[in-house]
Amino acid sequence: MNFRDILVFLYIAENTKSKNIFSTAEIAEVVGSSQQTISRKLRELEKFGLIARRPTVKGTEILLTPEGKSFLKKIYASSKAALFSSEWPTITGFVCTGLGEGSYYVSLPQYYEQFKSKLGFQPFRGTLNLKTKRPVDKIVDNKIPIVIDGFVTKKRSFGKIFCYPILIEDKIRGALIFPERSNQLKDVIEIIAPVNLRKEFGLRDGSKISLKVI
Amino acid sequence: MNFRDILVFLYIAENTKSKNIFSTAEIAEVVGSSQQTISRKLRELEKFGLIARRPTVKGTEILLTPEGKSFLKKIYASSKAALFSSEWPTITGFVCTGLGEGSYYVSLPQYYEQFKSKLGFQPFRGTLNLKTKRPVDKIVDNKIPIVIDGFVTKKRSFGKIFCYPILIEDKIRGALIFPERSNQLKDVIEIIAPVNLRKEFGLRDGSKISLKVI
DNA sequence: ATTACTAACTTACGAGTAT
DNA sequence: TATACTCGTAAGTTAGTAA
């Protein structure tokens, strides 16, 4: 693990406006390295085309090259995107009628209590079924599910349920739910929310709805 | 020269919103490295406290830790400052009457033509003398001067003049000028500009004026 | 498919020191 | 003072594989 190169570069980039003469010892002090290493790094940065350099007896004159400025912009754009972009993957679905399975399962107290504590909301006792154009496998495969544990009763056993938090129509938090054992088709997904979504958004079969997997 | 660490980190930071499962081979491809190196780097990043990691058969689940997010913010702040901050060193001076030397030198055609071509403006044929509280040595010592070459006539020789571009009162571009051989005191500086600054700003002896060394 | 260990090789680091 | 060369040691890289 070695962030020295970027630290040296950013130190120069930040300070090159107020001065152009740096000493290798000064930079070494700032980034926690030796004078010799900085001397070498400056020559490498120059060879790399990121800085223009002229050593003098007073220190080393340093200017960022156009390539250096371009690299700086890339770092800026990348860190900015990482911090502020909200490009959650989006799913478009069309309301359809399900088998009613989901509603039954959600209402089971052993599941219901887990939904409340693990998802952070009290689900409406029903699910909304959506038909999607493309299978959502690729999206959820790359996300970490919230796992609702299964349980056993005298009569039968109930499997796990995998949940993925979503934002419905950019307004309401909810979750995609995937029962471990399911009879659903792959292009039909089931969602739960704290409210009755059909009423909330005035939905009927065929209505279009957007989900962001957050 | 090795920017791999930061590239790996930024790639994860940028993509962790849309997915949490990465493969070492995928990251290796992006940053131009081997699968083995990325495997090691991820373990190092985890040890360093920047990411939380859980390898699975499908890939490696990765989340940024609070420390990772904090580090990301530092990179962002630093690159942003380097790109957009305009913190030029500022000098505050008080108008005083000089020896008239400067005005004479500036008007000499051998110097005047160089001022025009090297500074990018046609100087007013006079200089403004300023008394400063602190010597400006430390500021200009770290900047690269524009050098006006000396010349020789039959009568005598004229030395170099060192110029530092400035912004006067945040409005007018000008330059600090330091004759190689000067009788000026160290806390008195001389500036030139495309206009008569005394008229432009209605200055009299003792008037305060600000300069940014750009 | 994955991740990650081993081992051989390459590169980086910095104390001493020259310039 | 400054930069930077030498060189012994430390750390990083990756092909070949194991798991």
Side-chain angles (χ1 to χ4, degrees):
Chain A
M1 191 75 332
N2 184 350
F3 287 118
R4 254 181 221 148
D5 296 331
I6 193 70
L7 292 179
V8 170
F9 178 76
L10 285 177
Y11 178 74
I12 292 168
E14 262 193 278
N15 291 285
T16 197
K17 275 190 179 170
S18 58
K19 64 174 187 176
N20 302 109
I21 296 178
F22 300 78
S23 87
T24 51
E26 162 208 352
I27 302 175
E29 173 85 29
V30 175
V31 305
S33 179
S34 73
Q35 174 271 321
Q36 295 89 333
T37 293
I38 300 302
S39 168
R40 183 168 39 76
K41 289 226 167 292
L42 291 184
R43 279 171 279 149
E44 286 170 356
L45 278 167
E46 184 183 36
K47 207 173 174 183
F48 221 68
L50 298 182
I51 65 168
R53 190 186 66 98
R54 193 166 73 216
T56 72
V57 281
K58 288 171 63 185
T60 305
E61 285 178 9
I62 304 177
L63 292 173
L64 251 59
T65 61
E67 291 74 27
K69 284 176 189 168
S70 159
F71 179 68
L72 179 62
K73 278 179 196 165
K74 277 182 196 165
I75 296 289
Y76 169 71
S78 184
S79 55
K80 188 183 178 185
L83 279 169
F84 303 112
S85 92
S86 58
E87 287 170 22
W88 310 110
T90 301
I91 298 169
T92 303
F94 299 89
V95 175
C96 64
T97 303
L99 305 171
E101 279 187 316
S103 304
Y104 168 65
Y105 288 127
V106 170
S107 300
L108 293 173
Q110 293 92 333
Y111 281 142
Y112 199 77
E113 291 307 314
Q114 288 188 69
F115 279 129
K116 277 207 292 188
S117 63
K118 293 181 179 175
L119 295 180
F121 61 82
Q122 185 159 333
F124 170 74
R125 289 171 196 273
T127 64
L128 183 69
N129 289 268
L130 300 175
K131 208 170 173 66
T132 57
K133 285 182 180 171
R134 293 172 202 167
V136 296
D137 307 27
K138 282 193 182 175
I139 290 172
V140 298
D141 268 14
N142 279 320
K143 300 288 289 181
I144 302 171
I146 293 171
V147 182
I148 304 295
D149 301 317
F151 57 94
V152 206
T153 64
K154 289 175 190 169
K155 291 185 177 177
R156 58 165 284 198
S157 74
F158 293 84
K160 291 174 185 169
I161 301 176
F162 300 103
C163 305
Y164 298 90
I166 55 173
L167 200 59
I168 304 149
E169 289 290 320
D170 286 322
K171 276 187 183 172
I172 294 173
R173 258 167 51 81
L176 289 177
I177 58 172
F178 292 93
E180 192 175 18
R181 316 171 196 147
S182 167
N183 301 318
Q184 293 277 26
L185 297 168
K186 283 180 186 178
D187 59 349
V188 173
I189 56 175
E190 207 164 0
I191 66 179
I192 58 173
V195 296
N196 182 341
L197 292 167
R198 280 188 182 260
K199 271 195 181 171
E200 183 73 24
F201 293 109
L203 303 171
R204 42 172 60 191
D205 278 12
S207 296
K208 193 174 168 181
I209 198 162
S210 87
L211 312 176
K212 282 183 184 169
V213 184
I214 58 176
Chain B
M1 192 75 334
N2 185 350
F3 287 118
R4 256 181 219 148
D5 296 331
I6 193 71
L7 292 178
V8 170
F9 178 75
L10 284 176
Y11 178 75
I12 292 168
E14 261 192 280
N15 291 286
T16 197
K17 276 190 178 169
S18 58
K19 64 175 187 175
N20 301 109
I21 296 177
F22 300 78
S23 88
T24 51
E26 162 208 352
I27 301 175
E29 174 85 28
V30 175
V31 303
S33 177
S34 73
Q35 174 272 319
Q36 294 88 336
T37 293
I38 300 303
S39 168
R40 182 169 39 77
K41 289 227 169 289
L42 292 184
R43 280 171 278 147
E44 285 170 357
L45 278 167
E46 184 182 37
K47 207 173 174 184
F48 221 69
L50 298 182
I51 65 168
R53 189 186 65 99
R54 195 165 71 217
T56 73
V57 283
K58 288 172 64 186
T60 305
E61 286 178 8
I62 305 178
L63 292 174
L64 251 58
T65 60
E67 289 75 27
K69 284 176 187 168
S70 161
F71 179 67
L72 178 63
K73 278 179 195 166
K74 278 182 194 165
I75 296 289
Y76 169 72
S78 184
S79 55
K80 187 183 178 185
L83 280 170
F84 303 113
S85 92
S86 58
E87 288 172 19
W88 313 109
T90 301
I91 297 170
T92 302
F94 299 89
V95 176
C96 62
T97 303
L99 305 171
E101 280 186 315
S103 303
Y104 168 64
Y105 287 127
V106 170
S107 299
L108 293 173
Q110 292 92 332
Y111 280 142
Y112 198 77
E113 291 308 313
Q114 287 188 67
F115 279 129
K116 277 207 292 189
S117 63
K118 293 181 179 174
L119 294 180
F121 62 81
Q122 185 160 333
F124 171 75
R125 288 170 196 274
T127 63
L128 183 69
N129 288 270
L130 299 176
K131 208 172 174 63
T132 58
K133 285 183 180 170
R134 293 173 201 166
V136 296
D137 307 27
K138 282 192 181 174
I139 290 171
V140 297
D141 269 15
N142 280 321
K143 300 289 289 183
I144 301 170
I146 293 172
V147 181
I148 305 295
D149 301 317
F151 57 94
V152 206
T153 64
K154 290 175 187 170
K155 289 185 178 177
R156 59 165 285 198
S157 73
F158 293 83
K160 292 174 184 168
I161 301 176
F162 300 103
C163 305
Y164 299 90
I166 54 174
L167 201 59
I168 303 150
E169 289 289 321
D170 285 324
K171 275 186 182 173
I172 295 174
R173 257 168 51 81
L176 289 177
I177 57 172
F178 292 93
E180 193 177 16
R181 316 171 195 147
S182 168
N183 301 317
Q184 292 278 27
L185 297 167
K186 284 180 184 176
D187 60 348
V188 173
I189 56 172
E190 208 164 359
I191 66 178
I192 57 174
V195 297
N196 182 341
L197 292 168
R198 278 187 183 259
K199 271 194 182 171
E200 183 75 22
F201 293 112
L203 302 171
R204 42 171 61 191
D205 279 12
S207 295
K208 194 174 169 181
I209 197 162
S210 87
L211 313 175
K212 282 183 183 168
V213 184
I214 57 178

